[in-house]
Amino acid sequence: MTAPAHDRLPARSQASFILGAAALLALVSTIVLGLGLPPTLEQGPYARLIAIHPPLAWAAYLAFGVTAITSVLYLWSRTRRRVWDRVAASSAEVGVVFTALTLVTGSIWGRPTWGVWWTWDARLTSTALLLALFLGYLALRGVQTDVHTRAKRSAIAALVAVVDVPVVHFSVEWWRTLHQGRSLAQLTPQSDLDGSYVAVMLLGFMAMTLVYGWLLIERYRVEALEEHFEDQGLDRALEERRAEAEAVVAR
Amino acid sequence: MTAIDAPSRAAPGRRRLWVAGAVIVAALGFLLFQGLGEATVYFKTADEAVSQKEDLGDRRFRLEGAVVPGTVEAAPGRVAFEVRGAGGGTVDVVHQGDPPELFQPDIPVVLEGRWDGDRYASDRIMVKHTSEYRAENPDRVDEYVGKDRAGGQ
Amino acid sequence: MWRDAALVAGKDLRIEARSRVATNQVAPFAVLVLVLFGFALDPDRGILSRASAGLFWVAVLFSALLAVQRSFAIEAVDGGGDGLRLLGLDPAGIFMGKAAAVFVELAALELLLTLGVVVLYGVDLGGAALMVATAAVATLGLAAAGTVYGALSAGLRVRETLLPLLLLPVLAPVLLSATRAWEVALGTSVDDGWRWVQLLGVFAVVYVTFGLVGFGALMEES
């Protein structure tokens, strides 16, 4: 329980502010430009959801990827730092939000185009599973126990869960699905993607990456603050007890 | 039970770790190369539905095919059409209920239902849209898209 | 390692045989699940026999959860887990022993549930080879993954609620594959059932390997 001399109070940095502003700008322009996309031949106006839905899924992959890498860094004794554990936790939490949003936007897209909110094809099933796996991970993180034990076990759970990420991504190629194939995989001159769609989609990917980065930094800061105040609370309690004891001795 | 050589056993040897990693990677690789596609059938194509008709009997299964132009007969709460697979096999479909908004000739659909005599009785139509995103309105379309779009509709 | 595994498996099974928790609680629970499905789905005749493969494996999954919980509960009392470690047993051996004990319990349970499905849902058994192979490989996967996650949640204060949330999503591929394979065996679907057995095999191999190597690390500080 001996907390190391604690790093200074993590304050909101200027870099985070700039990143947040950039993320907001990119997000707003994605939405504005996305709504301005021309309707397509096949899907009409619904195709515009491509500006949001794939980038959300990408951000979820990215978040879980970061969780996996930092989990490995924590498990490997030579690179073991508390920092990695905190980053893994923060990133997974942000990833769960992105996964949930992916499912929600996908469902909203599916209803008018496919005709159903949900179907059990490989893409949808594996994504739902991904959400469940990382909800379990977060539950494990919420357990009150020794910090190292929790970090180690969570890291193992994260490594098992992250195996589902490539499964989600390649599910549309490995299996027959209702879900369409990967759009950006066929980003060639002869592609069926309209030029404006490619541009807005890439903007969307950038926007979600920025949003992810900003959320991660802020979530990490909150995590560090929580630990800081926990340690501080402990220190204060110790001091109070000591003062009480001294008061008794003095009398 | 008398073994007290615990320290040597506490951590798995480096070699053991590598072997384990290799086994796991090999197992997952086997999975990929075996090709899961055939086993994990979400739907059967129109061709398969025709060739496996005997085996399928009246079991429920999902059917995929492209709606054949000129065969769609819509009535309130009911629509009949044909779907065709890539291999040319066609299936007569009777669907109870209204088709979804994007339902149209030539579009690939996934249906849920079963063989009922020589026709496929469907109770759900799902439109399997592709990853085509070609703009409807010509004035902002790139030159290469412009040409084959004319044949699209 | 093998000797250690046999010792641990023998110990666990002996405890189950003497305490009768498996026979008096887990087995009746599994049958109860089948009966509850019967209550819920009875009005539509035929739906039970059509869905029997899935219902069977859901019942097995719930029971597996109880079996795993039980397997680690017996180590939690009277410092049993510490005892195992102090004896200097090979962690890989302990893993194999505990997984083997769970495997045996589940296999017995599956026999009972098969009987239950035949009697209660009116299922005609068929494709015996495919059914047995599926059950064997799936149960191996369940036992191995269950033991890994049992150790992962062992010693934590909220393990009773945590384990299902952690373990059930991990076991979902087993439920999916085993159900599809049994549907083929029971004749409710047309597919290549053996492909699913391969998938189950890969799942089992991965978790057995993972457990053999990682169990020591998981046990260290529980």
Side-chain angles (χ1 to χ4, degrees):
Chain A
M1 283 313 280
T2 48
H6 222 81
D7 14 24
R8 68 211 175 286
L9 196 63
R12 181 176 277 129
S13 70
Q14 202 172 8
S16 157
F17 180 79
I18 295 170
L19 185 64
L24 188 66
L25 185 71
L27 197 62
V28 169
S29 37
T30 304
I31 290 168
V32 171
L33 290 176
L35 287 174
L37 282 172
T40 64
L41 278 177
E42 202 179 46
Q43 298 182 46
Y46 307 122
R48 289 168 184 152
L49 269 159
I50 204 172
I52 293 289
H53 177 68
L56 280 171
W58 149 252
Y61 293 169
L62 179 65
F64 295 142
V66 168
T67 299
I69 292 168
T70 48
S71 294
V72 169
L73 286 175
Y74 188 87
L75 281 180
W76 197 28
S77 50
R78 237 183 273 173
T79 49
R80 182 167 298 162
R81 303 269 184 293
R82 280 280 291 284
V83 177
W84 300 134
D85 181 48
R86 276 186 233 141
V87 175
S90 313
S91 191
E93 205 169 300
V94 177
V96 162
V97 173
F98 277 116
T99 312
L101 285 175
T102 306
L103 288 173
V104 169
T105 52
S107 193
I108 291 171
W109 196 354
R111 178 63 215 189
T113 53
W114 298 343
V116 289
W117 294 108
W118 185 265
T119 182
W120 295 102
D121 86 342
R123 186 41 96 63
L124 278 64
T125 308
S126 55
T127 312
L129 194 62
L130 187 66
L131 183 65
L133 284 166
F134 273 97
L135 282 176
Y137 171 84
L138 290 185
L140 182 60
R141 292 225 64 104
V143 171
Q144 295 287 324
T145 182
D146 168 56
V147 174
H148 174 62
T149 306
R150 188 182 63 189
K152 198 157 140 186
R153 293 185 182 193
S154 315
I156 292 173
L159 288 183
V160 172
V162 87
V163 172
D164 195 26
V165 168
V167 175
V168 170
H169 188 65
F170 291 107
S171 56
V172 288
E173 288 183 6
W174 292 346
W175 299 296
R176 295 173 177 176
T177 57
L178 181 65
H179 198 282
Q180 66 166 66
R182 293 184 288 146
S183 299
L184 280 187
Q186 16 150 324
L187 195 64
T188 54
Q190 286 303 310
S191 136
D192 292 326
L193 267 168
D194 187 277
S196 55
Y197 273 79
V198 176
V200 175
M201 215 172 146
L202 290 178
L203 180 65
F205 277 99
M206 203 184 71
M208 287 308 168
T209 309
L210 289 173
V211 170
Y212 163 72
W214 181 72
L215 283 175
L216 177 66
I217 289 175
E218 289 301 306
R219 182 65 189 83
Y220 178 88
R221 200 171 62 88
V222 171
E223 186 86 14
L225 275 175
E226 261 175 21
E227 279 178 22
H228 178 88
F229 285 115
E230 260 168 36
D231 291 348
Q232 213 177 44
L234 193 72
D235 287 347
R236 189 177 302 146
L238 278 174
E239 259 167 43
E240 279 171 12
R241 294 298 90 75
R242 203 170 291 139
E244 276 172 23
E246 275 163 10
V248 169
V249 171
R251 228 182 290 150
Chain B
M1 286 284 269
T2 50
I4 320 215
D5 50 340
S8 67
R9 288 169 161 187
R14 187 149 291 230
R15 202 164 52 102
R16 208 160 158 186
L17 218 62
W18 281 112
V19 171
V23 168
I24 291 180
V25 168
L28 296 177
F30 167 80
L31 208 63
L32 281 187
F33 283 105
Q34 269 291 303
L36 289 164
E38 294 313 305
T40 52
V41 174
Y42 169 71
F43 54 69
K44 293 189 185 297
T45 63
D47 304 314
E48 287 165 350
V50 172
S51 66
Q52 299 173 5
K53 191 165 184 300
E54 296 281 294
D55 291 333
L56 285 166
D58 62 350
R59 296 191 187 94
R60 284 182 65 86
F61 66 100
R62 294 196 188 90
L63 169 71
E64 189 240 19
V67 178
V68 181
T71 60
V72 182
E73 294 167 30
R78 188 176 169 285
V79 58
F81 52 94
E82 278 180 28
V83 293
R84 181 180 289 146
T90 58
V91 177
D92 267 334
V93 178
V94 181
H95 172 76
Q96 292 294 327
D98 293 315
E101 196 180 332
L102 294 189
F103 181 82
Q104 54 184 286
D106 269 334
I107 205 158
V109 290
V110 174
L111 310 162
E112 286 182 2
R114 63 167 64 121
W115 279 111
D116 181 18
D118 284 338
R119 316 186 99 185
Y120 180 85
S122 146
D123 48 37
R124 172 177 264 184
I125 301 179
M126 292 178 284
V127 172
K128 187 181 186 313
H129 68 74
T130 60
S131 47
E132 269 186 27
Y133 293 87
R134 301 184 206 176
E136 237 170 29
N137 99 39
D139 50 82
R140 46 193 308 188
V141 180
D142 299 345
E143 66 292 342
Y144 58 85
V145 184
K147 284 182 199 107
D148 37 4
R149 205 197 61 240
Q153 204 153 24
Chain C
M1 183 174 85
W2 296 102
R3 208 182 46 124
D4 293 354
L7 278 173
V8 174
K11 167 193 80 82
D12 278 12
L13 289 174
R14 227 170 299 131
I15 291 177
E16 289 312 321
R18 291 191 187 149
S19 71
R20 305 261 158 85
V21 171
T23 47
N24 291 357
Q25 292 177 15
V26 180
F29 169 78
V31 175
L32 184 64
V33 171
L34 283 192
V35 173
L36 289 179
F37 283 138
F39 291 163
L41 302 175
D42 174 57
D44 185 356
R45 239 177 52 75
I47 199 170
L48 274 174
S49 67
R50 257 182 287 132
S52 56
L55 299 181
F56 173 91
W57 283 105
V58 168
V60 170
L61 218 62
F62 284 159
S63 316
L65 214 51
L66 288 188
V68 168
Q69 232 151 25
R70 174 83 190 132
S71 169
F72 284 87
I74 57 179
E75 305 297 354
V77 293
D78 303 333
D82 296 331
L84 277 183
R85 274 200 301 280
L86 287 175
L87 282 172
L89 295 179
D90 186 349
I94 299 179
F95 166 75
M96 285 219 301
K98 295 204 83 68
V102 172
F103 180 90
V104 171
E105 289 164 33
L106 286 180
L109 207 67
E110 281 162 22
L111 277 179
L112 180 71
L113 284 175
T114 310
L115 192 68
V117 167
V118 170
V119 173
L120 296 173
Y121 299 173
V123 170
D124 297 323
L125 295 184
L130 182 57
M131 274 180 78
V132 173
T134 304
V137 184
T139 310
L140 184 60
L142 289 178
T147 307
V148 168
Y149 275 80
L152 199 71
S153 61
L156 302 178
R157 240 173 293 159
V158 288
R159 61 178 177 277
E160 292 86 358
T161 41
L162 182 66
L163 184 66
L165 189 56
L166 277 178
L167 187 56
L168 287 178
V170 171
L171 295 184
V174 175
L175 173 69
L176 198 94
S177 317
T179 304
R180 291 293 103 79
W182 269 43
E183 277 175 352
V184 176
L186 296 176
T188 40
S189 97
V190 179
D191 196 357
D192 182 1
W194 290 100
R195 292 258 182 178
W196 291 105
V197 178
Q198 285 178 0
L199 192 66
L200 287 168
V202 169
F203 185 91
V205 166
V206 167
Y207 274 99
V208 167
T209 316
F210 193 72
L212 286 177
V213 176
F215 207 67
L218 279 174
M219 277 188 37
E220 259 170 29
E221 55 342 43
S222 57

